[in-house]
Amino acid sequence: MGSAILSFLVIGLVASELVYYFLFKNTKERKYINSISSGFFMGSVLILVFKIINVNPNGTDEWYVKIAFSLIQLSSESISYSVLIISALICVLLIVLFNLALKKQIDTIHLAVTPADSPDNADSKPVKIKVKGSEYKSYDSDLLPYVDVWVGREPELKLLNAVGQGVVVISGFGGQGKSALASKQVKNIIEKSKRSFWDWRDCKEESDRFRTQLISVISNCTQGECLADSFSDASIADISKTFFKIIQNKNGVVVFDNVDHYVDTNENLFTSDVSSFVNEALRVDHNFLIIFTCRPRVNYPSSRFREVYLRGFDIEETKSLFAQKIPGGLNVELIEKINKFHKFSEGHPLWLNIIASQIARKYSSADDILQEMEAGQMDERAKSMLRSIWKSLNANQQSILRCMAEVGKAVEEDKIYDFAKDEVASENQFNRAFRGLIAINMVVERTDLKSTTKKYDLHPMVRTFIRKEYHNKTERKHYISLVLKAYDNFLVVFRQNSKIMTPAMLDEVVTKIELELENSDYLKAIETIDDMADDFVEKGFHEEYVRLAKKVFASTDWKTSSWLDNKKFESLVLFFVKTMIEIGQVDDGLVFLENYTNNTNAGTAQYIAVCDLNCYVHWFLNDYKKAIEWGERGIALKKSSGLDTTYDCSDNLALSLRDSGRIDDALKIFSLGVSIKDVLEDHHRSSNRGAAFYGNIGRCLEFNNDHEKALKLYAKSYDLLEVDSGAAVLINKGYASYWIAGVLHSMKKYFESYLFSKRALLIWEARSPIMARRPEELIEKLTKHLNAEQIEITETQIEIKCKNYVASMLSQ
């Protein structure tokens, strides 16, 4: 650190002398300029910039920061305005050059996670990603809870420090300070080593979210290089292996907050995805501390696992809390009341903290709170305490809290104002009310260690209290509608200004959908889910998409629900089943498909769509006999009924016919009456015929051993797909590459076949493990004909060579 600071001062002095020599050598300005002052000014500015970009921009306690501020103040008084401006501009230039130099130091590491040598992992596949950079910065981590007063917990902190690395579970009843202790430990680790990686994920006490959260941690850890769509359908075991491969020689801490839904309370072990991740964390060597917080007890028989079970404050810790919160200290009367608060709350940290904050704000409220707690039953003590606080809040504060209770996550203050502005007379009144809620700890502040970003949330116990007090959906509907209105406006503005749907924006969409479902506005939720389906799948948010769709279906009466005939609902069902099958959840997908089929009236347009879906699913699973039966049933129904519908089984039936060996029958459907000669000679980019048109006809020709013509049509399909986008396009890009590879293999063009096989694998392993097995088998055959240099070709080279090869085929 000292050498860096000295370097910046030297750079500033040298730059200053150059300014004098070239700009002010023969001018009267030389009389009023002190080159040393100017040099110290520039050097000090650079020191501050170094501080801002280096790990913790908010702290100002470091000695060099204080010296830099003093030097800037003194030196700026000794130089003229013209030189001051020039010096500042030079600093900007140096900063830009400095940042460019940093970027050049970023390297790219290619990682391949090899599955463990065990029968359970026999089908696991390596997950290949690119990892960028050597210094971590927090990208999209959730923010840490802000702790204004710290009391006790010294033994727990000592244990956490002693563990160092491994897995720690902080458990205990709600409100014991589990999140606060985890936050304190994260800050301790970062203070000791500012280059350590940290990440915080709030799992919201919900199931079916951990996979998404872990992928987000990996995205953060790789500085945004490895995004969610790299793991579209990878197993949680492979994702876990990838994470520990990335961090293998790094230091850091990751917190998964509120994972209650992943605990088996009978076995005191984690379940589902968290179980796989923890087993991997205990198996491999790493220098990370992985912290989970939850209410239930958890225990693993491993030397690298520790449970920290939190109990309530003792009486001395309670007195210390009140002494720090209440101005003027404690008097005899108040100590007597504190003893009673401690007894009734059993030392519960959250309750005591809220009570102390309320008394600090309004001393006379102590008697009211005590009276309310004494009147309540012991099992109702939390409700009694919070109800007393609730009564003391004004209407604006209650409205703000009721809006926040419906959101379920930390959000920025300006968003909270947007939620509540129709309930509060002015922004001024909102600010006063909101500051008051923060002061009494009804609102939890979350902060970023590396920026000034702040978000605000409710403690889960406070949110639960509000929802239980106002459990009637009619009572909640008004506030949900206020929040939804703000989200609708926010997303409209976003869509007007950006066409790129980022993972962060998808998270906002998820919140909107959940609110629509809570509001029983199922049609609106169905519309939102269906409109965003491609974005969910394309960005790797399969888990969230499936979870939200299942919520809709759980509220659906398949005989009476009003949305059964809604086109968006039909579209949601069709896409949901396809997604389930394509990502490998075959059993669940087939069960759902069977139920949907049985609940659809035969003879309707909707049933034709069901026939087409069944045809596609069974074709995808290589059950061509069943696929053909469903396809022919759908075509026969459409022909005999004369139904006016866009639903049609022809394409999927043709796929099934082709792959079952009935090539001529399939070709009649695919060609749409156009001759093969015309298809080969047309200009594909201006023909208004899609990639599937050329690809499917080419596939039929390949099956008839007409390889040259097949290759030409595959090239047209490949070229069209390269300029298209969407979730389905990625799957089809894999097909185009794989089919070209197959033809080239038949023509004994082994290296070219290898290139397109690898291209298909790279596309499919990030999308569908079922299909990824196909190019892998071909690659295994091809490597026997290739040398080491050909086999080790990079991903970038593969993409370029495939593109060039297609261009050469199209030019013939």
Side-chain angles (χ1 to χ4, degrees), residues 86-99:
I86 291 173
S87 299
L89 290 174
I90 290 174
C91 284
V92 171
L93 177 62
L94 290 171
I95 291 163
V96 171
L97 293 173
F98 181 69
N99 280 333

Side-chain angles (χ1 to χ4, degrees), residues 10 63 81 132 179 295 349 360 490 496 678-679 698 706 726:
V10 171
W63 58 271
Y81 286 119
K132 179 183 177 183
S179 300
R295 291 182 178 89
F490 172 66
Q496 288 174 347
D678 289 342
V679 174
D706 197 343

Side-chain angles (χ1 to χ4, degrees), residues 468-626:
K468 284 186 176 180
E469 286 290 287
Y470 302 98
H471 59 85
N472 189 295
K473 280 214 169 186
T474 305
E475 293 179 303
R476 293 177 59 194
K477 195 174 184 70
H478 172 67
Y479 291 94
I480 294 175
S481 297
L482 291 175
V483 178
L484 270 173
K485 178 183 175 183
Y487 268 102
D488 283 335
N489 292 337
F490 172 66
L491 290 172
V492 165
V493 172
F494 170 78
R495 287 190 179 105
Q496 288 174 347
N497 295 312
S498 176
K499 293 182 179 179
I500 300 173
M501 183 59 64
T502 64
M505 284 307 307
L506 274 176
D507 188 55
E508 300 286 48
V509 173
V510 168
T511 301
K512 178 179 182 288
I513 294 168
E514 288 176 331
L515 286 166
E516 288 166 344
L517 291 169
E518 281 289 333
N519 212 29
S520 299
D521 195 348
Y522 296 109
L523 280 173
K524 187 69 175 174
I526 289 165
E527 181 181 341
T528 308
I529 297 172
D530 186 60
D531 287 346
M532 301 303 301
D534 266 344
D535 288 295
F536 275 118
V537 174
E538 194 172 28
K539 301 298 181 189
F541 275 58
H542 299 79
E543 187 179 52
E544 290 290 78
Y545 171 76
V546 169
R547 181 177 68 86
L548 293 168
K550 283 182 176 179
K551 280 191 173 185
V552 172
F553 301 141
S555 301
T556 299
D557 184 317
W558 295 91
K559 296 294 184 184
T560 63
S561 290
S562 60
W563 52 85
L564 290 175
D565 295 328
N566 184 278
K567 292 294 182 185
K568 291 286 186 181
F569 181 72
E570 291 178 18
S571 176
L572 174 62
V573 171
L574 301 177
F575 195 83
F576 172 78
V577 173
K578 286 184 177 181
T579 300
M580 293 280 282
I581 299 297
E582 288 173 358
I583 67 174
Q585 296 184 24
V586 176
D587 291 341
D588 289 344
L590 289 175
V591 169
F592 185 90
L593 175 58
E594 183 179 2
N595 290 336
Y596 183 60
T597 301
N598 293 337
N599 283 286
T600 304
N601 293 326
T604 63
Q606 190 178 356
Y607 194 75
I608 296 174
V610 169
C611 290
D612 189 45
L613 179 59
N614 274 279
C615 183
Y616 171 80
V617 167
H618 291 296
W619 166 77
F620 188 90
L621 298 174
N622 301 323
D623 189 348
Y624 303 126
K625 182 179 178 181
K626 276 189 179 180

Side-chain angles (χ1 to χ4, degrees), residues 619 624 650-660 670 696:
W619 166 77
Y624 303 126
S650 298
D651 285 344
N652 287 320
L653 173 59
L655 291 172
S656 306
L657 290 168
R658 180 198 68 197
D659 293 349
S660 68
F670 283 135
N696 288 323

Side-chain angles (χ1 to χ4, degrees), residues 305-527:
F305 177 88
R306 290 287 186 277
E307 182 194 25
V308 179
Y309 182 72
L310 298 187
R311 294 176 171 83
F313 286 157
D314 61 31
I315 186 60
E316 293 306 317
E317 289 170 333
T318 302
K319 289 178 182 177
S320 175
L321 172 65
F322 276 77
Q324 292 184 58
K325 284 277 189 178
I326 298 173
L330 309 180
N331 55 44
V332 176
E333 179 188 9
L334 185 55
I335 289 175
E336 184 180 342
K337 291 175 182 174
I338 290 171
N339 288 330
K340 291 181 180 179
F341 287 137
H342 179 264
K343 177 184 175 182
F344 282 113
S345 69
E346 297 183 353
H348 195 282
L350 174 65
W351 305 345
L352 292 171
N353 197 19
I354 292 175
I355 292 168
S357 299
Q358 178 72 350
I359 294 172
R361 187 166 170 260
K362 186 181 178 183
Y363 189 84
S364 61
S365 64
D367 291 327
D368 296 333
I369 297 171
L370 195 56
Q371 184 179 357
E372 189 86 32
M373 293 183 76
E374 288 174 338
Q377 299 295 319
M378 286 304 289
D379 59 349
E380 290 285 307
R381 59 190 183 275
K383 189 180 289 185
S384 298
M385 182 273 297
L386 287 170
R387 189 177 287 128
S388 173
I389 302 293
W390 185 261
K391 289 178 180 177
S392 72
L393 302 177
N394 61 43
N396 288 340
Q397 290 173 324
Q398 290 184 2
S399 294
I400 292 169
L401 291 177
R402 290 196 63 181
C403 287
M404 292 182 69
E406 300 300 343
V407 178
K409 67 176 185 179
V411 294
E412 298 84 351
E413 184 178 343
D414 58 349
K415 272 191 187 172
I416 298 171
Y417 172 66
D418 286 337
F419 300 156
K421 64 184 179 184
D422 290 346
E423 297 290 295
V424 181
S426 67
E427 190 169 356
N428 238 18
Q429 287 192 23
F430 169 82
N431 290 334
R432 285 199 298 271
F434 193 65
R435 299 276 87 74
L437 291 171
I438 294 173
I440 62 172
N441 290 104
M442 291 294 278
V443 170
V444 178
E445 181 181 311
R446 294 183 178 271
T447 58
D448 190 336
L449 293 178
K450 301 173 185 177
S451 73
T452 57
T453 302
K454 289 183 180 180
K455 291 185 179 182
Y456 300 90
D457 197 3
L458 299 183
H459 189 282
M461 289 188 66
V462 176
R463 179 175 287 108
T464 300
F465 165 77
I466 295 172
R467 288 191 174 181
K468 284 186 176 180
E469 286 290 287
Y470 302 98
H471 59 85
N472 189 295
K473 280 214 169 186
T474 305
E475 293 179 303
R476 293 177 59 194
K477 195 174 184 70
H478 172 67
Y479 291 94
I480 294 175
S481 297
L482 291 175
V483 178
L484 270 173
K485 178 183 175 183
Y487 268 102
D488 283 335
N489 292 337
F490 172 66
L491 290 172
V492 165
V493 172
F494 170 78
R495 287 190 179 105
Q496 288 174 347
N497 295 312
S498 176
K499 293 182 179 179
I500 300 173
M501 183 59 64
T502 64
M505 284 307 307
L506 274 176
D507 188 55
E508 300 286 48
V509 173
V510 168
T511 301
K512 178 179 182 288
I513 294 168
E514 288 176 331
L515 286 166
E516 288 166 344
L517 291 169
E518 281 289 333
N519 212 29
S520 299
D521 195 348
Y522 296 109
L523 280 173
K524 187 69 175 174
I526 289 165
E527 181 181 341

